[in-house]
Amino acid sequence: MSDIIIRTENVEKIYGKGSVKTHALKGVSLEIPKGSFSCIIGPSGHGKSTLMNLLGGLDRPTKGSIIVDGTDITKLSGSALAQMRAEKIGFVFQFFNLLANLTALENVEIAMMFGRSASGRNEQRQKAKELLQLVGLPQKANAKPNELSGGQQQRVAIARALANDTDILLLDEPTGNLDSQAEGEVLEHIFKIHKSGKTVVIVTHNNELAKKADILFEVRDGKLGGTN
């Protein structure tokens, strides 16, 4: 677990201009080892999700470097960055972001259109079924999102994030909208995925989850606090 798969160097993020500028991140430098389980904690509005979006290539920093698996993603073109995200990073959002008109199976399948795999439709469908099995939802393959509970929707979102066999799984408050039972179900599958060798990074307010992290990053006022 000594190889560093994500590294940031003096990352800053500023929104707006002039007198309405917001300094969301201020000189953040961190290292995340391959295969580790990391949590990012801190008060709401202090920069946690901004940092996560930068790590996942969903946004670009105002200053600084972000190196993912040896590549400085801040220097990539838009198309190259999109390809890198599809091949290396799975992202799970707090609000699921499933496509309402597609079944659970189709929501997982559609992610494979943007990955490195050039497999045919039958192979994609079989892989999507296997991923739904992994998150404990094989019986929900044909259900639309509105026919699933919040916990089930989030587990479909996790399966979708794994569709391209990425090495990194980033989760932004993945249990923030779930009741305690659904939260437990989702976390059980996240731990299982980590044990399979994935690098997992989670933004969370869950103190019990944070205690289980290999590395803990605290973000306050846009700055990185103590880590362990």
Side-chain angles (χ1 to χ4, degrees):
M1 206 167 69
S2 60
D3 293 340
I4 302 301
I5 195 166
I6 300 175
R7 185 172 76 253
T8 71
E9 298 175 352
N10 298 313
V11 164
E12 297 188 11
K13 182 63 182 179
I14 300 173
Y15 294 104
K17 296 181 180 180
S19 61
V20 293
K21 286 196 300 186
T22 299
H23 215 138
L25 291 176
K26 308 169 184 176
V28 172
S29 297
L30 58 77
E31 292 184 341
I32 298 175
K34 186 174 184 178
S36 62
F37 188 99
S38 303
C39 284
I40 301 173
I41 63 169
S44 296
H46 282 238
K48 301 187 306 299
S49 291
T50 297
L51 176 57
M52 182 66 93
N53 287 339
L54 294 176
L55 296 181
L58 299 178
D59 198 1
R60 293 183 184 268
T62 305
K63 296 180 181 178
S65 299
I66 301 172
I67 295 91
V68 176
D69 200 18
T71 298
D72 186 346
I73 66 173
T74 65
K75 297 179 179 178
L76 296 178
S77 67
S79 59
L81 184 60
Q83 189 67 25
M84 184 281 303
R85 285 198 306 266
E87 295 182 354
K88 294 187 179 295
I89 298 173
F91 212 113
V92 179
F93 302 90
Q94 180 177 356
F95 295 100
F96 321 139
N97 288 5
L98 299 178
L99 297 176
N101 61 322
L102 299 183
T103 65
L105 188 67
E106 290 166 341
N107 265 284
V108 178
E109 281 184 283
I110 198 169
M112 299 179 202
M113 295 172 58
F114 307 101
R116 66 171 73 103
S117 174
S119 59
R121 181 68 184 274
N122 290 338
E123 289 82 359
Q124 290 178 351
R125 174 140 296 197
Q126 180 58 36
K127 184 174 182 180
K129 289 179 179 178
E130 291 170 0
L131 288 168
L132 288 178
Q133 177 77 41
L134 176 67
V135 297
L137 293 175
Q139 76 283 9
K140 297 294 185 178
N142 295 317
K144 297 284 184 67
N146 65 358
E147 299 172 314
L148 301 171
S149 69
Q152 289 170 338
Q153 289 185 63
Q154 192 61 294
R155 284 149 64 188
V156 173
I158 291 171
R160 180 184 60 189
L162 296 170
N164 293 312
D165 197 26
T166 58
D167 294 325
I168 301 165
L169 185 62
L170 305 181
L171 305 102
D172 191 0
E173 293 284 4
T175 61
N177 290 317
L178 305 179
D179 60 34
S180 57
Q181 179 178 343
E183 178 181 58
E185 293 171 356
V186 169
L187 291 178
E188 176 186 347
H189 291 287
I190 291 172
F191 293 141
K192 181 193 300 183
I193 288 161
H194 172 246
K195 288 179 180 178
S196 74
K198 305 292 184 184
T199 302
V200 176
V201 185
I202 303 181
V203 167
T204 185
H205 284 103
N206 185 321
N207 290 329
E208 292 305 309
L209 174 60
K211 290 177 183 178
K212 298 179 181 180
D214 300 321
I215 306 172
L216 194 61
F217 300 103
E218 184 177 10
V219 179
R220 286 182 177 270
D221 296 316
K223 297 180 180 180
L224 200 63
T227 64
N228 64 356

